[in-house]
Amino acid sequence: MRKSSLFFAAILIMAALMPASAFAKMTNPVDAWNRHFDTWLVVAVVVWLVVTVPMLYFLVKYRRSSRDEDGVYIKGNTGLEILWTAVPTIIIALLGVQSWRVFNTYREVPQDAYEVRVDGFRYGFEMIYPEGIKTINELRVPVGPVKLSLSSRDVIHDFALPGFRIREDMLPGRFTYLWFYADKPGEIRHVYCAELCGPGHSLMQAKLIVMKKEDFNAWVASKKGVEGSASLSQDIRGKELIKQCTGCHSLTGERITGPTFNGLFGRETLLADGTKIAVDEAYIKESIRSPKARIVDGYPPTMPPFNLSDKEVDAIVAYLKEIK
Amino acid sequence: MREQPSGLKTWIFTTDHKKIAVLYLITACVFFFVGLLLATVMRTDQLFPAGSKFLNGELYNVVFTIHGAAMVLFWMIPVLLGFFGNLLIPLMIGARDVAFPRLNALSFWFYLGAGIIAVLGLLLPGRLDFGWTGYPPLSVITNTNTALYVFAVHLLGASSIAGSVNLITTIVTMRAPGMTWGRLNLAVWGIMGASIIQIIGIPVLAAAVTLLLFDKYLGTHFYDASMGGSALLYQNLFWFYAHPAVYVVALPVFGIVSEIISTFSRKPIFGYISMVIAIMVITVLGFEVWIHHLYVAGTANWARVLFMWGTILIGVPTGIKVFNWLATLHKGSIEFSTPMLHALGFISLFTIGGVTGIANGLLGIDIQVHDTHWVVAHFHYVLALSMSMLAIGGIYFWFPKFTGRMCSERLGKIAFWLTIIGALVAFAPQFYLGVKGVPRRYWIIPAEYAGYMRIGSIFSYIAITGFLLSLINFLYSAINGERAPSNPWNSKSLEWQIPSPAPFYNFDKIPVITEGPYEYGKPQGKES
Ligand code: HEM
Ligand SMILES: [Cu+2]
Ligand SMILES: [Cu+2]
């Protein structure tokens, strides 16, 4: 029975891998994921070979030689059929157990994790830190375990952090969570939205910056100081706030979901009701406060209203004037 | 016996199961063609890095939505249940027609109506762009024509329920004398399992989209979290049907593979009983997997674990089938006809899709590859390309029986090799993108992966050319093919014992069945 011996080889490989992978103590889910994936990969290749090699062999060996030739009258073999029911069941059970353990490490958040709240919106992420700081499309965390509490302001999004082998959906009206172990400082990893959220879906990306503890504290202190005082220049503030808009409005002249911001100020816009209007401060403010009041011709009325203070709107308008 | 009427009118008013089957086939092939064209559009867009100027973010979403819906709902399910189900069931069980011929006709016309609505969803402004899954709140708050989506699903659902009731009733009540359950073709068993799933699942899907309609147009809040509803409710209801829908496609496919392999190995199918058990286990277990679509959707941890077990255990009955096919080849007398090549091609693609499916069934792995290109690659291997290829193979196989003509083997083989070479490679690079976490449904793929996508695009063109050649072959051979003998493949199955094309009322006299359909090479005098 060449096939059954192959199966047992597969079992042996599994057995050899299991103790190392499933029962080792782990702190970083990334390592657990990598090992789990490698185990699967070995099993997958073995299974693939067990199917493909005999198939090719039979196709060559038993190809029809004469017109009226029949095959051998074999209708089954209970022993073999039990074998290829039982062995896959065992392999799958072992993989399942390993997966369950890996999954648990993902869901059990360490006590000392630094917690950040992240809100998804079309099309960006807003990070809200425990210290009261907010950033858009840029997540800064100190080295160590980090927990993210995820939610959404409109449709379903997903916070995907492939560098840390983790993702979780962001749902309106409730919180979900994930955690990861930020092992070393650096600005390295992509953050994607992985749940279809509209035409700007593939533009909804952010970056993650892992900082040494003391650098992170310094950053927090500097941010808090500036945020509190009125000294933050309007320009910097506008630049930050506008990140909420660039998923739909390009700065370069390209058409995305909405009209481009490039050269917005002072241009003539054709509205859906056929009237023309010169873009000025009042119009931009109205567009932000009540986007549905006047709709630009040829665009869908999908711009959401934003909850911004007067100061923030001023900052945006000031910044928009500069984009040409 | 009445004479078979002819003319266009008879096609429109027909209640003959074979004609209805052909109507299904033609309509489904049109949607397959549309789906392939849309795939070409997406793949051309992906030839260029970072999104070409040729599609934009809105259009890309429309294209994959209609591609997905056309392929799954209007090509795969209708060709397998509508065409193969209608054509094969009466012929294989020895009946003159299905149990409710007029209901059968109605079911086809509903399907056509649903198809027209779906095409309107592509053409009218407010194009459908929320994916074939239609998740709220996206499908509720945007100004797309969600109603078209809902009505298409309703009409299609009514069609499928009518069709499935019909097939089940036919199988249960109209088998010829001597056609015991143990002598049924495996294709019949597969279609039976699929029909059972349809009847249980579709009402739930209908409920899901009906609530969507209410939320969008009547101001209810079933899926609106800010008013106490739940967006996840939709996902649960939707996948309760939409995952088993995969088995609606797969079970008939498994049956058809068995027919083809047994016939062209000239050997009884290995392990008939375990094949039947596997089909029925999948029918039941198929309803215990849907949460794998919600593995990272904030679902309760215990639910994720529970449904992981259901998901990966499906691998066992599926494995049984694959090994039984291999054992059928063993000591057979294998002929590489076009249908056989397609069945073997199916097994090669399906195996790749199967082992990668275990990966995304495993919670611990899926947490990285969920909703990435891994999944796109996986389901194109396991379902889209493999089962389309097999459906094409099945059409080649029974072509003589429903047209009375032979298909061109030469063109068929060329088409096969193009399809398999293309299909083996077309989606392979996307596994790599998936491991790197690149999400699916991305119009702009990060630039560093442009090379991978380009390889995928080039091989997709090859596969698509293969599929199109087969469609052309069918068209050409239906008109110009050689006249077919009644049993060109020398099969033992019942449908080949009557003339080609099958006469109007199938059987002059209802046959009395004395043995199963796979008795090849049976030594003289042995009992079956
Ligand atoms: C060679 C032929 C095919 C090619 C090149 C192709 C290509 C594609 C591509 C590029 C996508 C979009 C991936 C993304 O950005 O997320 C896609 C999605 C999809 N395809 Fe295909 N496809 C082919 C055949 C099929 C077939 C035969 C089926 C039948 C079941 C199918 C079913 C789907 C589904 C269900 C989706 C997902 C749509 C969604 O996300 O809503 N495809 N395909
Ligand atoms: Cu998104
Ligand atoms: Cu599923």
Side-chain angles (χ1 to χ4, degrees), chain B residues 239 243 246 289 292-293:
Chain B
W239 288 113
H243 188 87
V246 171
V289 305
H292 67 218
H293 297 274

Side-chain angles (χ1 to χ4, degrees), chain A residues 28 63 77 101 116 185 280:
Chain A
N28 191 344
R63 64 180 304 166
N77 178 323
R101 297 178 65 99
V116 182
D280 57 10

Side-chain angles (χ1 to χ4, degrees), chain B residues 139-182:
Chain B
S139 53
V140 172
I141 68 163
T142 57
N143 60 334
T144 40
N145 280 324
T146 307
L148 291 182
Y149 175 76
V150 174
F151 292 144
V153 170
H154 277 162
L155 211 50
L156 192 64
S159 153
S160 301
I161 290 180
S164 303
V165 167
N166 217 336
L167 292 176
I168 295 176
T169 315
T170 310
I171 297 171
V172 172
T173 63
M174 296 177 65
R175 280 168 291 127
M179 182 55 90
T180 57
W181 290 99

Side-chain angles (χ1 to χ4, degrees), chain B residues 88-353:
Chain B
L88 298 180
I89 295 294
L91 293 180
M92 283 180 163
I93 65 172
R96 292 210 163 109
D97 205 322
V98 291
F100 314 113
R102 263 175 294 180
L103 189 62
N104 204 20
L106 183 70
S107 138
F108 167 74
W109 293 106
F110 273 5
Y111 159 55
L112 188 65
I116 291 170
I117 296 179
V119 172
L120 289 182
L122 172 66
L123 300 179
L124 293 184
R127 295 188 185 96
L128 303 180
D129 68 349
F130 39 63
W132 80 283
T133 46
Y135 282 7
L138 185 61
S139 53
V140 172
I141 68 163
T142 57
N143 60 334
T144 40
N145 280 324
T146 307
L148 291 182
Y149 175 76
V150 174
F151 292 144
V153 170
H154 277 162
L155 211 50
L156 192 64
S159 153
S160 301
I161 290 180
S164 303
V165 167
N166 217 336
L167 292 176
I168 295 176
T169 315
T170 310
I171 297 171
V172 172
T173 63
M174 296 177 65
R175 280 168 291 127
M179 182 55 90
T180 57
W181 290 99
R183 287 180 184 153
L184 283 181
N185 287 72
L186 287 172
V188 177
W189 277 107
I191 290 166
M192 175 91 169
S195 305
I196 293 174
I197 295 175
Q198 292 282 71
I199 287 184
I200 297 174
I202 286 176
V204 179
L205 175 70
V209 296
T210 306
L211 299 187
L212 202 60
L213 190 76
F214 288 177
D215 265 17
K216 174 141 186 160
Y217 300 98
L218 302 183
T220 57
H221 301 284
F222 292 103
Y223 303 133
D224 179 358
S226 66
M227 303 293 282
S230 157
L232 283 187
L233 175 63
Y234 177 86
Q235 297 187 18
N236 278 298
L237 294 174
F238 180 85
W239 288 113
F240 179 83
Y241 168 69
H243 188 87
V246 171
Y247 306 115
V248 170
V249 176
L251 294 179
V253 162
F254 293 161
I256 294 170
V257 176
S258 306
E259 306 299 331
I260 295 179
I261 291 201
S262 173
T263 304
F264 293 104
S265 306
R266 304 205 58 74
K267 246 192 92 194
I269 195 77
F270 192 93
Y272 177 87
I273 305 261
S274 61
M275 289 297 222
V276 173
I277 294 176
I279 287 177
M280 286 301 146
V281 168
I282 294 175
T283 305
V284 175
L285 205 54
F287 283 101
E288 215 275 305
V289 305
W290 84 84
I291 298 260
H292 67 218
H293 297 274
L294 288 83
Y295 269 175
V296 299
T299 327
N301 291 342
W302 64 264
R304 302 190 205 188
V305 172
L306 185 65
F307 280 78
M308 171 181 81
W309 288 110
T311 303
I312 56 181
L313 280 177
I314 289 256
V316 174
T318 315
I320 295 177
K321 306 207 71 93
V322 173
F323 290 120
N324 281 349
W325 291 326
L326 288 185
T328 307
L329 295 174
H330 177 72
K331 297 201 173 166
S333 163
I334 299 167
E335 181 191 342
F336 294 101
S337 62
T338 308
M340 183 65 166
L341 287 174
H342 282 81
L344 297 169
F346 162 79
I347 297 180
S348 352
L349 294 171
F350 183 72
T351 311
I352 300 174

